[in-house]
Amino acid sequence: MSSLTEKDRPIVQLLLNTGTCPRCILRFCCVGSQALYRRPHKDLMKDLKEFLKNNQEKEDPVCSGVVDPPCKRIRLEHPEEGPDDLNHNGVFQQIPSANDENTATETSAVKVCNVCLGILQEFCEADFVKKVCQKINSADYQFTSFVFSVSLPPQLSVREHAAWLLVKQETGKLGLSLAKDDIVQLKEAYKWIIHPQLSEELGVPADGKSLFEVSVVFAHPETEEECHFLATACPDCFKPAKNKQSVFTRMAVIKAVEKIKEEDFLKHFPCPPSSPKNLCVALEIQCNNGAVFVAGRYNKYSRNLPQTPWIIDGERKLESSVEELISEHLMAEFKADSFNFSSSGREDVDVRTLGNGRPFAIELVNPRRIHFTAEEMKGLQQTINNSSDKIQVRDLQLVTREAIGRMKEGEEEKTKTYSALIWTDKAIQKEDIAFLDDIKELKLDQKTPLRVLHRRPLAVRCRIIHTMKSEYIDEHHFRLHLKTQAGTYIKEFVHGDFGRTKPNIGSLLNRTADILELDVESVDVDWPPTLDN
């Protein structure tokens, strides 16, 4: 409905009489003009009173000069059958006559709205907008747009339902029907008012797809128990959930309000809703930036460094890790709250990663800084490399969340190249190991190794050794270069893991073999893109 007309007069009169604010009145009259909601509260109140005094439908001061978009309309239908004037005990409470215009004028002094609990009043004013912007600016975020979200007290759904029943009963007398979906949602109206003010104050546009979120959480302690009767009427709607302090969530209350019969609702809740003494309070004003993703490749040169923190039963075994040596610098520069590290496979604590390194990605959660030039990323890479001789990183760059999927794509089909230093109990000659060079596409059956059985399910995995090249050292030592399917347990392929990997180097050589050193020489994943470092 684009403007107030004669058929809205009884609704305006009724809601003003019962303590509803001008903007909520516009919502219940299905007015879809954003410009109207942005007008000052006092001006709206004054114009609504003028509208009640004006008997000329076309001359509407509230909407004059405003061109509105099409919006939802009240549908003309037969009057609904049902109770006529129900009060708190199943009948509507006695309220001033819709024709008594003096009553509206006398009782409509500024007070807390009985429907929105002040959200479309006090919290639309410039002072509150400035408070929100001060919070944003003090948090020192980088952002080029914002998305605004609001969390409303669950009891607002109960009050809105009561007001809708009241208005529906009034429109029914006129042969009209008001569907609940026709009412402009409180959140929608609030954002219509707040978005332009925040945009002007912050100097950036509101954008529903923005990664920078500003959220406000409202509460109204005075009325927080108003929805509790629904738990008795609709117990199936209220079930305990993890991480929820109360079963009376907004969604649970909405579900219960939709389910409860009108006569049962009216037995437990006043219609119209009573006027509260206090405004809502803004419990929280929070900011959050969407995650930023950094990718690169790392080399690990230490045989005493785990990829991730090595903690057993709460006790740290080694002082650092690859993850920490990289992330501590990223966390400091991006000013993030936390991070998540992932990589294309992992090496054991005593295994080096050489060659072009292993691809990795780090998700930086809620970063304050998000804009980095290529030169700044290059400088950050150098800072990481200068901080430790245990690791080096290359190709450090910003990537998208979607691009990280390429690191994991076809992980089982990728190949990796290793170099293993092997010991044998019996003396060997060069010709004893030469046959290994001729073996191609050797299929292994690897039962989950004993050393990882505590964290991996018991299974037999089929893996392939694509090629091997031996390098004789002495009677008890040789080096073996292997190209294998990703996911192959190389140590177990050498010593056999008590027969859990078949075949193995020991069984192929017909002697006991063990691995002394292992290096990853390449991880054949073509990601992230190589940079000119």
Side-chain angles (χ1 to χ4, degrees), residues 99-233:
N99 295 320
D100 186 358
E101 296 179 5
N102 292 329
T103 308
T105 304
E106 293 168 4
T107 61
S108 58
V110 177
K111 56 184 178 181
V112 181
C113 176
N114 67 337
V115 179
C116 71
L117 301 175
I119 289 174
L120 294 183
Q121 295 171 297
E122 191 77 17
F123 296 100
C124 295
E125 300 300 321
D127 286 348
F128 180 69
V129 173
K130 288 181 179 178
K131 181 180 178 181
V132 172
C133 292
Q134 286 171 359
K135 176 76 173 181
I136 296 170
N137 293 330
S138 66
D140 197 27
Y141 281 91
Q142 281 185 341
F143 57 95
T144 56
S145 61
F146 71 92
V147 60
F148 181 72
S149 66
V150 57
S151 174
L152 302 176
Q155 61 267 33
L156 278 185
S157 298
V158 178
R159 287 180 163 261
E160 183 125 332
H161 188 69
W164 170 66
L165 291 178
L166 182 69
V167 174
K168 188 175 74 161
Q169 186 255 359
E170 185 66 26
T171 56
K173 295 177 182 178
L174 304 174
L176 301 172
S177 176
L178 176 65
K180 202 168 186 179
D181 289 343
D182 290 335
I183 301 168
V184 175
Q185 295 298 304
L186 197 158
K187 277 188 180 183
E188 187 176 16
Y190 187 59
K191 290 179 182 181
W192 288 347
I193 303 164
I194 288 292
H195 276 173
Q197 296 185 69
L198 285 175
S199 290
E200 184 176 354
E201 201 65 37
L202 296 172
V204 296
D207 181 357
K209 295 182 179 179
S210 175
L211 294 179
F212 180 63
E213 181 183 21
V214 180
S215 60
V216 179
V217 178
F218 288 110
H220 195 258
E222 179 188 340
T223 60
E224 64 183 8
E225 295 184 0
E226 287 185 347
C227 52
H228 289 191
F229 74 92
L230 292 169
T232 302

Side-chain angles (χ1 to χ4, degrees), residues 328-336 368-369 372 380 383:
E328 64 179 335
H329 300 283
L330 297 178
M331 286 283 289
E333 288 297 321
F334 283 80
K335 301 178 182 178
R368 271 63 175 176
R369 187 181 176 191
F372 285 81
L380 183 51
T383 299

Side-chain angles (χ1 to χ4, degrees), residues 217-322:
V217 178
F218 288 110
H220 195 258
E222 179 188 340
T223 60
E224 64 183 8
E225 295 184 0
E226 287 185 347
C227 52
H228 289 191
F229 74 92
L230 292 169
T232 302
C234 305
D236 293 345
C237 298
F238 300 93
K239 296 179 181 178
K242 292 181 180 179
N243 304 321
K244 297 291 184 181
Q245 294 182 347
S246 170
V247 296
F248 295 100
T249 62
R250 182 167 172 80
M251 290 310 298
V253 170
I254 289 174
K255 187 177 178 181
V257 164
E258 290 174 349
K259 185 177 180 180
I260 191 172
K261 294 179 180 179
E262 289 184 15
E263 55 266 30
D264 292 335
F265 180 89
L266 292 166
K267 288 177 183 177
H268 295 91
F269 198 81
C271 187
S274 58
S275 294
K277 296 178 181 178
N278 304 302
L279 286 163
C280 273
V281 291
L283 279 186
E284 297 176 1
I285 302 172
Q286 295 183 333
C287 306
N288 188 79
N289 237 340
V292 170
F293 298 86
V294 175
R297 286 176 173 263
Y298 72 80
N299 291 108
K300 171 176 167 293
Y301 301 119
S302 170
R303 296 196 186 278
N304 195 35
L305 183 71
Q307 187 195 64
T308 55
W310 192 6
I311 300 171
I312 300 177
D313 296 330
E315 182 182 348
R316 179 182 274 271
K317 297 299 181 182
L318 292 172
E319 64 178 18
S320 191
S321 65
V322 173

Side-chain angles (χ1 to χ4, degrees), residues 298 300 302 304-312 315-327 339-351 353 358-362 391 407-408 454-456:
Y298 72 80
K300 171 176 167 293
S302 170
N304 195 35
L305 183 71
Q307 187 195 64
T308 55
W310 192 6
I311 300 171
I312 300 177
E315 182 182 348
R316 179 182 274 271
K317 297 299 181 182
L318 292 172
E319 64 178 18
S320 191
S321 65
V322 173
E323 172 187 293
E324 291 166 297
L325 290 174
I326 298 173
S327 65
F339 70 92
N340 296 305
F341 180 92
S342 60
S343 63
S344 181
R346 59 186 300 138
E347 66 283 312
D348 291 339
V349 62
D350 58 350
V351 175
T353 298
R358 185 184 297 277
F360 73 90
I362 294 181
I391 65 157
M407 183 175 70
K408 297 292 184 180
H454 65 286
R455 57 184 170 88
R456 293 279 175 85

